[in-house]
């Protein structure tokens, strides 16, 4: 398991947020400036990285393309009155992801509560 402090973070050069009206955000039209990517090797998640949002490079043999074996769970983020960003119920998000992973017979994500 990768500890939060060990995750490599590469920030986007320019944020798209300044061009978006945050009072009215339609679903599925605007996306975050960043994405999380990890490899699953030898029974564990490795090489966890947060990087600028970009197209994915996929192998033609990817099971999701042939059998629909894929899971998507997005985490919502909000800013408080002081402008600090908070994510909304991330452990519930992991729980939903793991329920789907178990059903699809895919690797689950370990969750550890950091204090």
């Amino acid at each position: 398991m990768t500890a939060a402090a060990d995750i490599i973070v590469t920030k986007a050069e320019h944020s798209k947020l300044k061009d978006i009206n945050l009072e009215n955000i339609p679903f599925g039209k605007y996306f975050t400036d960043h994405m999380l990517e990890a490899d699953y090797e030898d029974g564990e998640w490795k090489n966890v990285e947060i990087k600028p949002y970009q197209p994915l490079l996929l192998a033609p043999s990817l099971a999701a393309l042939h059998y629909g074996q894929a899971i998507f769970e997005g985490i919502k983020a909000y800013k408080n009155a002081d402008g600090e960003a908070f994510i909304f119920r991330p452990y519930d998000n992991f729980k939903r992801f793991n329920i789907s992973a178990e059903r699809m017979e895919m690797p689950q994500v370990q969750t550890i509560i950091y204090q």
Side-chain angles (χ1 to χ4, degrees), residues 73-113:
E73 276 291 338
I75 294 179
K76 293 181 175 75
Y78 300 93
K79 286 189 177 183
N80 67 9
D82 296 327
E84 298 171 307
F86 289 92
I87 54 177
F88 181 72
R89 298 170 51 181
Y91 293 103
D92 291 329
N93 182 275
F94 283 127
K95 182 178 177 182
R96 285 190 306 274
F97 182 94
N98 285 336
I99 289 168
S100 296
E102 182 178 11
R103 184 176 336 130
M104 303 278 296
E105 296 188 20
M106 295 172 67
Q108 295 185 11
V109 175
Q110 293 179 349
T111 57
I112 299 174
I113 298 175

Side-chain angles (χ1 to χ4, degrees), residues 2 6-9 36-39 45-50:
T2 301
D6 296 333
I7 296 174
I8 297 168
V9 177
L36 184 136
E37 187 174 285
D39 299 322
W45 291 100
K46 300 178 182 178
N47 306 321
V48 181
E49 179 180 359
I50 295 173

Side-chain angles (χ1 to χ4, degrees), residues 7-51:
I7 296 174
I8 297 168
V9 177
T10 304
K11 292 188 176 184
E13 289 184 25
H14 303 286
S15 176
K16 299 175 281 192
L17 291 176
K18 62 184 175 192
D19 300 327
I20 298 173
N21 175 3
L22 299 177
E23 299 298 321
N24 183 21
I25 302 175
F27 180 79
K29 185 171 180 180
Y30 300 106
F31 300 94
T32 179
D33 291 331
H34 299 88
M35 59 192 238
L36 184 136
E37 187 174 285
D39 299 322
Y40 189 77
E41 298 173 349
D42 302 322
E44 66 178 296
W45 291 100
K46 300 178 182 178
N47 306 321
V48 181
E49 179 180 359
I50 295 173
K51 57 186 175 181

